[in-house]
Amino acid sequence: MKKILLSLVIAIILFIPLESKSNDFKLSTKDWHDVCTRADMDWVNFCNGYIQGVIDSLSSTEFCPNSSATRANLVTIVDNYLTRNREYKVGEAFSKIRNILKLSYPCK
């Protein structure tokens, strides 16, 4: 019985920190919006890359941009959407930006 209890305590000690830290690396929508509205080339490059990562996760039936769409345009679209819809700034950036892009360029 003592071995089972000790094993359980060790498992809790080992796994709880991993569980609580797992979301530390996710970017919040608010933080994305804060950094992606800075006029600094490093942040501009980050935001363009982030948008590209989101685009790469979308299928060709979820996101259908027109031929004039650029990453800079898409960052501006997301920025404008978040500015108009402040409640959308709560939560994880990736899924929110993904939804904004799908809404902005739906496939017909």
Side-chain angles (χ1 to χ4, degrees):
M1 184 68 175
K2 287 183 181 183
K3 286 183 181 182
I4 294 172
L5 185 57
L6 180 59
S7 297
L8 182 61
V9 169
I10 290 172
I12 290 171
I13 289 170
L14 291 176
F15 292 109
I16 286 181
L18 292 175
E19 180 69 27
S20 66
K21 299 261 184 210
S22 66
N23 289 330
D24 288 351
F25 296 106
K26 290 185 178 181
L27 181 65
S28 74
T29 309
K30 180 187 178 314
D31 288 344
W32 183 92
H33 192 241
D34 289 347
V35 300
C36 289
T37 53
R38 294 179 187 174
D40 178 283
M41 203 56 200
D42 290 333
W43 287 117
V44 169
N45 290 333
F46 167 81
C47 297
N48 286 337
Y50 197 91
I51 287 289
Q52 186 63 54
V54 173
I55 291 167
D56 288 348
S57 78
L58 293 164
S59 73
S60 60
T61 60
E62 294 179 293
F63 174 67
C64 297
N66 58 39
S67 60
S68 64
T70 65
R71 281 185 292 282
N73 296 129
L74 299 176
V75 170
T76 300
I77 287 169
V78 174
D79 168 41
N80 290 339
Y81 189 94
L82 293 173
T83 300
R84 287 190 312 269
N85 302 283
R86 294 201 179 275
E87 71 281 359
Y88 221 71
K89 289 172 77 172
V90 176
E92 177 205 354
F94 193 87
S95 60
K96 296 290 178 88
I97 292 170
R98 203 170 189 275
N99 288 337
I100 292 168
L101 293 176
K102 286 166 51 173
L103 290 170
S104 299
Y105 290 102
C107 297
K108 295 178 181 152

